[in-house]
Amino acid sequence: QVQLVESGGGLVQAGGSLRLLCTASGSFFSINTMSWYRQAPGKQRELVADIASDGNTAYTDSVKGRFTISRDNAKNTVYLQMNSLKPDDTAIYYCNAVARESSWEAYGYDYWGQGTQVTVSS
């Protein structure tokens, strides 16, 4: 099993920056895709960015050019560097990882962190 712990959220003014990080721990064979999701009040949870084990990344259109996802496989950690933050970025940000508990598993399972609040003021 995998436990995910996020940190780095907080309150920042528009135009500011934050860096989120999420570290995976526990018993697992491998971690495949790691992702950041967010959910704002009254809105659906949305995928913000994801990064595959080989480093390939993808972003939702609203954050392209402002956010950067990265990972350190040796540390089992994924980061989300958020620059030029806007009030619309305010949300709870959740870390997600797809992990295989053993080599016997053909596919991984989804694991979720507890979420970290990001609030961007005008």
Side-chain angles (χ1 to χ4, degrees):
Q1 296 186 11
V2 179
Q3 294 82 46
L4 302 176
V5 178
E6 304 108 326
S7 62
L11 175 64
V12 65
Q13 289 189 330
S17 298
L18 287 172
R19 188 181 71 156
L20 308 182
L21 68 157
C22 169
T23 299
S25 63
S27 179
F28 53 88
F29 176 74
S30 64
I31 297 176
N32 298 316
T33 301
M34 301 188 80
S35 307
W36 287 98
Y37 289 76
R38 67 185 180 188
Q39 186 165 24
K43 294 187 177 182
Q44 297 267 56
R45 183 170 58 185
E46 66 171 339
L47 175 65
V48 178
D50 62 58
I51 182 167
S53 59
D54 63 1
N56 287 332
T57 61
Y59 301 89
T60 191
D61 287 343
S62 63
V63 308
K64 288 181 179 177
R66 299 188 297 120
F67 291 9
T68 302
I69 188 171
S70 61
R71 66 190 289 171
D72 185 335
N73 289 334
K75 297 180 179 179
N76 296 317
T77 298
V78 62
Y79 306 89
L80 186 67
Q81 179 66 47
M82 304 185 294
N83 298 325
S84 302
L85 283 162
K86 304 175 181 179
D88 285 347
D89 295 320
T90 296
I92 300 174
Y93 284 70
Y94 296 93
C95 177
N96 172 270
V98 178
R100 297 161 64 197
E101 293 189 358
S102 75
S103 63
W104 299 103
E105 297 179 350
Y107 306 99
Y109 293 96
D110 276 340
Y111 297 89
W112 294 90
Q114 82 287 354
T116 185
Q117 177 70 49
V118 171
T119 302
V120 184
S121 63
S122 301

